[in-house]
Amino acid sequence: MTHSTGSGSSGPAASMPRVSVALCTYNGSEFIEEQLRSILDQTLQASEIVVSDDGSTDGTPAAVDRIVAAWQGEHPGQPVTLHVIRNPAPLGVTANFEQALAVCTGELIALSDQDDVWPPERLALLAAEFQARPGLQLLHTDARLVDETGRPIGRTLLATLGVSAADRAAVHAGHAFDILLRRNIVTGATVMLRRELVGRARPFPAAWVHDEWLAIVAAATGTMDFLDDALVDYRQHGGNQIGVTSLDAAGRLSRLRTPRTLRNSRLLARAEALDERALGLMPVPVDSYLRLITAKAAHERARSALPSARLRRVLPVLRQWRTGGYARFGLGPQDVLRDLVQPL
């Protein structure tokens, strides 16, 4: 269902690009008010908020209506357009975000989870970057990790994900595509993008998560970057649909004991989906990127075909190591070790 409560803002901010917020919800009534309020209280007001609810059973859509109506009663001179989509049955995170993004009409779209909190300057800072850099397609940021009550955990998102100084420098230098072929570093809750990117990326492949797919398409066809600032309080709690996976030593050791078949099948499906779609992207990625995409798919096919007997894996793993596959398309020695010792 779609309903409107007004039009975009006017005044000094009118010269900035119009911003939409794509907010996806699922049984989020516990945290939705704090996040919605933080979106509505931005120094640069969004012209519209698109809420796509994925079959909530806890009254989340009604809570959204109530919160926005209350805020507008408190701020009668600051109208905002609200669209609420109610899915009768859950679509899943990626399809739900694709649906929300397709409805957004702003030149820029900020993605939002239902349980985070934004500092007031978030939209203004991101929109200013896009205004200053016309070729920029996607921008993401760091985030402060907080617990269920909103208290800082003492870590940031990018540090927890193990994004190194070299990774950061490479992205800032325009080499995000090379980084993303090895691993994803983009979290959707921290993203702003140009609406034209959504058109290029749709339909989202089933093998990919929405934020990872948007990032790789942006990097393959244009420019993406990130801000080091932590511009989201990223809440970690038991109900996260997608949370943070730590790359610390304990996490790496745990993964060595995890069966490898499902993960490698997923990596292969993603690489093959990208390979199949690459020539249809607009603009078409440069030849060097196309070659890397094809080589990435070949590398993941070789990994998926490794035998169950660990000793028989040694030669094919060594072959991929010597040809540079593990360095170009994965985490190097860490993935070599995983492929040598993980059970099926």
Side-chain angles (χ1 to χ4, degrees), residues 3-288:
H3 56 100
S4 175
T5 58
S7 59
S9 60
S10 58
S15 61
M16 296 289 283
R18 289 181 65 250
V19 177
S20 297
V21 175
L23 170 60
C24 286
T25 61
Y26 176 72
N27 288 345
S29 60
E30 181 178 1
F31 301 116
I32 191 65
E33 180 163 4
E34 191 174 7
Q35 173 62 326
L36 254 182
R37 286 271 177 174
S38 77
I39 293 171
L40 291 163
D41 288 338
Q42 291 291 297
T43 57
L44 173 65
Q45 188 182 97
S47 62
E48 75 176 349
I49 301 173
V50 174
V51 177
S52 187
D53 184 78
D54 211 21
S56 289
T57 58
D58 69 345
T60 295
V64 169
D65 291 338
R66 174 183 54 78
I67 294 161
V68 174
W71 185 89
Q72 294 217 315
E74 299 161 9
H75 304 81
Q78 301 181 48
V80 61
T81 299
L82 172 69
H83 304 284
V84 179
I85 305 165
R86 292 175 169 88
N87 298 331
L91 302 177
V93 175
T94 293
N96 197 35
F97 263 107
E98 182 175 0
Q99 175 176 262
L101 288 164
V103 173
C104 292
T105 62
E107 299 164 66
L108 303 175
I109 306 172
L111 278 63
S112 175
D113 289 347
Q114 65 188 6
D115 45 12
D116 301 328
V117 179
W118 292 359
E121 69 278 11
R122 174 175 172 74
L123 290 183
L125 290 173
L126 270 62
E129 288 289 323
F130 281 92
Q131 190 175 42
R133 302 167 63 180
L136 185 63
Q137 294 298 306
L138 182 147
L139 186 67
H140 65 112
T141 74
D142 206 346
R144 184 174 67 163
L145 301 187
V146 299
D147 66 15
E148 188 165 344
T149 67
R151 291 178 301 193
I153 294 173
R155 294 178 290 156
T156 68
L157 175 61
L158 293 179
T160 301
L161 293 176
V163 180
S164 67
D167 292 336
R168 295 168 191 249
V171 173
H172 292 324
H175 303 300
F177 184 74
D178 298 317
I179 300 299
L180 294 175
L181 279 184
R182 295 201 291 272
R183 55 171 296 215
N184 178 58
I185 62 170
V186 178
T187 299
T190 73
V191 164
M192 179 179 278
L193 49 82
R194 292 194 190 273
R195 181 161 53 91
E196 62 196 50
L197 175 62
V198 178
R200 294 208 304 274
R202 295 187 70 203
F204 296 178
W208 286 76
V209 181
H210 62 284
D211 47 11
E212 298 175 326
W213 177 247
L214 287 163
I216 198 76
V217 172
T221 63
T223 301
M224 64 155 282
D225 204 349
F226 74 93
L227 297 181
D228 287 287
D229 306 284
L231 294 179
V232 177
D233 276 0
Y234 191 45
R235 199 186 306 261
Q236 301 297 292
H237 58 87
N240 287 101
Q241 288 193 284
I242 299 179
V244 173
T245 299
S246 177
L247 297 181
D248 59 17
R252 289 194 296 268
L253 182 61
S254 174
R255 283 190 287 276
L256 289 178
R257 297 191 291 266
T258 302
R260 58 184 295 278
T261 303
L262 183 60
R263 176 179 182 269
N264 282 40
S265 296
R266 184 173 66 249
L267 291 174
L268 175 58
R270 287 159 45 102
E272 290 186 332
L274 178 59
D275 197 27
E276 290 168 5
R277 289 282 295 276
L279 285 174
L281 296 175
M282 295 298 293
V284 177
V286 297
D287 287 346
S288 61

